[in-house]
Amino acid sequence: MRDARHDILFEPLQIGPVTTKNRFYQVPHCTGMGWQSPKKLAAMRGLKAEGGWGVVCTEYCSVHPTSDDSAYPLATLWDTQDIKAQALMTERVHEHGALAGVELWLGGGFVANFGTRIPPLGLQDRPLTNPSVLHPVQCRRIDKDDIRDLRRWHAEAAKRAVTAGFDIVYVYANHGYLLSQFLSAETNERTDEYGGSQENRTRIVRELIEETREAVGGEIAVATRFSIDPSDSETYDALGLLAEYPDLWDLTVSDYDIEMGVSRFVKEGAMVDAVAQAKSLTGKPVVAVGRFTSADTMAATIRSGAQDLIGAARPSIADPFLPNKIDEGRSDEIRECIGCNICYAHNSIGVPIRCTQNPTMGEEWRLGWHPERVASAETKERILVIGAGPAGLEAARVLGERGHDVMLAEGERVPGGRVTRESKLPGLSEWARVRDWRMGQIEKLPNVALYPESRLNAEETLGLEADHILVATGARWATDGIGRHRNSALECSEPTAVISADTVIDKLPLPDGRVMIFDDDHYYMGPVLALALRKRGHDVILVTPAGRAGAWGSYTEEIFASNAALIEAGVEIQTNQVLEFFGKGRAICSCLFSGKVRESSADLMIPLTRRIPDDKLFMSLSSDAGRLSESGVGSVRRIGDCEAPGTIAAAVHAGYRAAMELGSSATLTETFGRREHPVL
């Protein structure tokens, strides 16, 4: 039964000519699917509507081939084929009583048009304005004819949106794309009616809102996505000039590191105050994100008048059924986003998004997975899962829900494996949600039993008379230095001074001295360990073969905040360096490009290069097929980091997949799922 405090979240709200059934609004967010995978995309968006989201929007949707962000799989509304593809989504969304929104998009000088090979259209003759890419592409300064074309293309795409069945159509005026370039005095150097004064700089946005409304004939709502900057009153003045034109404001802040910040640096509801100030300028409904996961926080935000709708991208990925769970009084079952941005990272790479908390994300159509339902096993069996880390916990949970009797053996007193250990590091506390949600679900399953402090050997394992065994014993950081940039072990004259990263993760004491981290991992661990060691009083130097510390953080949108934190903490950073020798208080590195040698002082060395699977038990079990058969074991399978160390998201996915495939004779290559092919 729904908590009365949350009733406000389920009040309908009129948005121009349409009405949303509740206050849950999945704002436009990228998927890595776009025009290339319309069936996969429709299934994912439709499932969110099934989960109770009142509005479900597309990702950025190009109105014309002059806005082409290839190789990212953007959405498109260029022609009748696109109408058919987008209709797949709107039909799925409408099946569950939700509204479908489309974010029409003009890329401008932010994108390279690599697919269409048309010169980008920007406000200045200059290289691309996207600071994240350094493509050798320069855009062409637009003229009056171009502006007329842009307005016409936008209106034509809006008409196609109506045909495709959308209920809300966007004018997209932020995130560095063309319309936000018009709004900025820094990038808008025009001296005609589209430049100079703020009223002139907002002109094209106003015209597009009016012309879009005319194009859709008043049948659907017109929303505007817009950024405000709490430190720049002009952004609020600009919103004030446009305040009553759209039917809905989708507001963000201009600092993307806050809007899309990882939980290491940005917490729930970080934009509420800035959005509330902007909302006071308009009488139209306002939606805004804030990585909201708490029903209490959502309801309080609406009651405060700060915004009218709870916008979500990442929380809707982590739990597509978040609204239904609140409606049914099951807030404790919400699969809360951990703010790791693994979803965003994979879209940034150009592949379908995935989620650490929700392993079914992106697999709804390809593999037929559902985040809330699993098929019951045809034959109920006795399953032993060894290791209660992210892979083991997920496997045990899903196996239990399928009806199997599950024994979950964990060597430590507290389950969670690497999640429990890493969540104690600076900024990673929310990552414990991966463990806590799964433990909460497992506790509700009478057919799943957890046995902590149960470190098994092969003989003990076989004595438990399991029908199947899943080994999820994880992995540990190596100290030999072999990794991406080293094929052989590190030359070292003082091996006792080479420390495993696990020593720091487990908060074990270290000798005094200056610590060098050789980070050939390039994700979060190097920067996080450096900050942890600084908190413990160590002088720290971080050496990396990459051009920036934690370079993979460019995909998760944490690289700038992460490097700023390292600099602020006093961590010395050396880039483009490969470790060659360590010993006697010194480390020798060579330049990745020139080979020039560089010597630094260091008393301790932590190589972050590779992790070694803890697979001794698996190898012992799998090497004796005869003994397995005699013990009645039908199969032994290693999963997660025990098979191939990777992200926590990969481990959770591996656990889910193993649980779904258990009992099937199909091999992994035979179960890769459905594929979408071009029309031949």
Side-chain angles (χ1 to χ4, degrees):
M1 185 175 180
R2 185 168 77 211
D3 188 323
R5 295 175 299 170
H6 304 153
D7 287 349
I8 195 170
L9 297 173
F10 296 89
E11 294 178 358
L13 181 70
Q14 187 170 348
I15 304 172
V18 300
T19 301
T20 175
K21 64 182 179 181
N22 60 33
R23 304 303 177 95
F24 295 97
Y25 191 111
Q26 183 247 278
V27 298
H29 74 75
C30 293
T31 63
M33 303 174 198
W35 68 270
Q36 296 170 322
S37 303
K39 293 179 181 178
K40 183 183 297 184
L41 186 57
M44 184 272 288
R45 300 285 194 201
L47 192 133
K48 291 188 184 187
E50 180 187 342
W53 295 89
V55 179
V56 179
C57 296
T58 67
E59 56 265 69
Y60 62 156
C61 184
S62 171
V63 304
H64 187 267
T66 50
S67 292
D68 166 33
D69 206 13
S70 299
Y72 301 117
L74 63 152
T76 53
L77 260 177
W78 297 350
D79 53 30
T80 55
Q81 288 298 312
D82 287 330
I83 293 173
K84 293 178 182 178
Q86 296 290 354
L88 295 177
M89 172 200 155
T90 60
E91 289 166 4
R92 293 291 295 271
V93 169
H94 290 156
E95 284 176 10
H96 302 283
L99 302 178
V102 57
E103 184 180 52
L104 298 186
W105 168 69
L106 296 165
F110 206 75
V111 296
N113 292 346
F114 278 146
T116 60
R117 302 184 72 171
I118 300 171
L121 303 179
L123 285 189
Q124 299 167 302
D125 291 309
R126 61 178 290 185
L128 300 185
T129 54
N130 183 349
S132 299
V133 298
L134 302 175
H135 301 313
V137 176
Q138 185 162 314
C139 60
R140 172 174 70 76
R141 185 179 187 272
I142 61 176
D143 56 27
K144 284 284 190 67
D145 288 339
D146 294 320
I147 292 176
R148 282 191 287 271
D149 285 340
L150 291 164
R151 291 165 57 184
R152 175 171 55 83
W153 296 335
H154 198 280
E156 289 170 351
K159 293 176 182 177
R160 288 191 284 270
V162 174
T163 306
F166 286 102
D167 308 286
I168 300 172
V169 62
Y170 269 73
V171 174
Y172 186 8
N174 63 349
H175 292 149
Y177 298 120
L178 183 61
L179 298 186
S180 60
Q181 293 168 7
F182 270 96
L183 292 168
S184 169
E186 291 185 359
T187 55
N188 188 342
E189 299 174 341
R190 300 183 69 91
T191 58
D192 59 9
E193 67 269 32
Y194 290 102
S197 70
Q198 190 167 71
E199 183 174 3
N200 282 354
R201 298 198 308 272
T202 61
R203 183 183 304 276
I204 192 169
V205 178
R206 185 182 72 247
E207 289 176 342
L208 285 175
I209 295 172
E210 293 175 327
E211 291 164 3
T212 300
R213 176 172 286 110
E214 182 180 352
V216 301
E219 296 180 34
I220 66 177
V222 178
T224 299
R225 208 170 198 188
F226 191 89
S227 292
I228 36 99
D229 183 349
S231 64
D232 183 1
S233 61
E234 279 206 357
T235 60
Y236 288 89
D237 294 339
L239 188 146
L241 289 172
L242 300 166
E244 304 307 314
Y245 282 95
D247 298 312
L248 171 75
W249 284 101
D250 183 341
L251 297 180
T252 65
V253 294
S254 56
D255 188 343
Y256 202 58
D257 281 350
I258 294 177
E259 179 190 346
M260 196 61 196
V262 295
S263 59
R264 285 178 61 194
F265 303 110
V266 181
K267 302 305 178 184
E268 181 180 22
M271 303 194 309
V272 168
D273 291 342
V275 170
Q277 183 180 346
K279 178 171 165 48
S280 68
L281 302 174
T282 178
K284 298 301 178 72
V286 168
V287 61
V289 298
R291 201 167 57 82
F292 294 104
T293 60
S294 163
D296 291 341
T297 301
M298 295 179 209
T301 300
I302 299 297
R303 275 196 297 271
S304 74
Q307 57 196 71
D308 302 287
L309 296 135
I310 297 298
R314 291 171 290 176
S316 74
I317 294 168
D319 197 333
F321 278 68
L322 180 151
N324 282 358
K325 290 177 180 179
I326 297 174
D327 191 25
E328 296 164 5
R330 298 187 291 124
S331 294
D332 60 313
E333 294 185 19
I334 293 173
R335 196 186 280 106
E336 293 184 286
C337 172
I338 69 170
C340 66
N341 280 10
I342 205 73
C343 53
Y344 184 80
H346 285 82
N347 173 77
S348 299
I349 295 168
V351 297
I353 59 172
R354 55 217 58 195
C355 178
T356 299
Q357 279 283 58
N358 176 14
T360 69
M361 175 51 54
E363 307 286 26
E364 299 86 355
W365 182 83
R366 186 174 78 96
L367 294 173
W369 289 355
H370 192 286
E372 301 299 311
R373 297 193 297 269
V374 294
S376 296
E378 294 181 7
T379 302
K380 307 298 173 63
E381 298 182 282
R382 182 175 170 86
I383 317 298
L384 172 61
V385 180
I386 304 174
L393 284 173
E394 181 68 1
R397 176 189 75 83
V398 178
L399 288 166
E401 291 186 0
R402 295 193 66 196
H404 294 292
D405 289 322
V406 182
M407 299 174 286
L408 177 57
E410 165 57 37
E412 303 297 329
R413 176 175 296 182
V414 179
R418 65 178 288 195
V419 169
T420 292
R421 298 165 62 235
E422 292 182 19
S423 64
K424 296 176 183 177
L425 293 169
L428 302 185
S429 60
E430 289 189 46
W431 292 28
R433 292 173 174 178
V434 175
R435 173 200 64 208
D436 295 344
W437 183 81
R438 283 159 182 81
M439 284 300 300
Q441 299 306 109
I442 286 172
E443 288 169 0
K444 299 174 183 178
L445 296 170
N447 52 328
V448 180
L450 171 66
Y451 298 94
E453 297 182 289
S454 299
R455 199 173 296 276
L456 303 174
N457 58 31
E459 185 175 352
E460 292 166 336
T461 298
L462 294 175
L464 292 174
E465 300 180 345
D467 296 309
H468 301 277
I469 300 171
L470 296 179
V471 183
T473 44
R476 305 291 284 185
W477 285 98
T479 57
D480 56 15
I482 296 173
R484 286 180 173 84
H485 289 85
R486 290 196 59 86
N487 297 322
S488 58
L490 172 69
E491 184 181 352
C492 179
S493 64
E494 292 182 83
T496 58
V498 179
I499 308 297
S500 168
D502 293 303
T503 301
V504 183
I505 295 170
D506 293 334
K507 295 188 175 181
L508 299 176
L510 295 183
D512 293 333
R514 178 174 167 86
V515 182
M516 175 178 282
I517 298 173
F518 176 56
D519 185 6
D520 205 12
D521 176 63
H522 308 291
Y523 192 15
Y524 61 89
M525 188 56 71
V528 167
L529 287 188
L531 294 173
L533 288 167
R534 286 296 293 141
K535 284 188 174 183
R536 292 167 64 171
H538 288 277
D539 189 14
V540 180
I541 176 172
L542 190 152
V543 176
T544 177
R548 291 175 176 172
W552 207 74
S554 63
Y555 296 116
T556 57
E557 200 62 31
E558 65 189 294
I559 191 166
F560 290 105
S562 184
N563 276 266
L566 291 172
I567 294 168
E568 180 69 22
V571 175
E572 180 182 344
I573 302 171
Q574 292 184 10
T575 59
N576 303 317
Q577 299 290 314
V578 177
L579 182 63
E580 303 291 354
F581 169 84
F582 173 72
K584 297 183 179 180
R586 67 192 183 107
I588 297 177
C589 299
S590 64
C591 174
L592 183 67
F593 304 109
S594 69
K596 185 177 179 180
V597 170
R598 177 175 184 172
E599 185 172 318
S600 301
S601 62
D603 302 297
L604 302 170
M605 171 62 63
I606 299 175
L608 277 175
T609 54
R610 63 171 177 161
R611 286 182 289 149
I612 304 298
D614 186 0
D615 59 2
K616 291 181 181 178
L617 177 58
F618 170 78
M619 292 299 183
S620 177
L621 292 169
S622 61
S623 63
D624 193 343
R627 192 177 179 195
L628 285 175
S629 179
E630 291 175 4
S631 302
V633 177
S635 67
V636 176
R637 177 174 175 175
R638 53 183 165 173
I639 60 174
D641 288 346
C642 180
E643 179 181 23
T647 62
I648 296 172
V652 173
H653 184 274
Y656 189 97
R657 182 160 197 158
M660 295 297 288
E661 292 178 347
L662 191 137
S664 170
S665 59
T667 65
L668 185 63
T669 55
E670 293 171 333
T671 56
F672 64 83
R674 294 188 287 180
R675 299 169 64 199
E676 295 190 64
H677 292 276
V679 176
L680 300 177

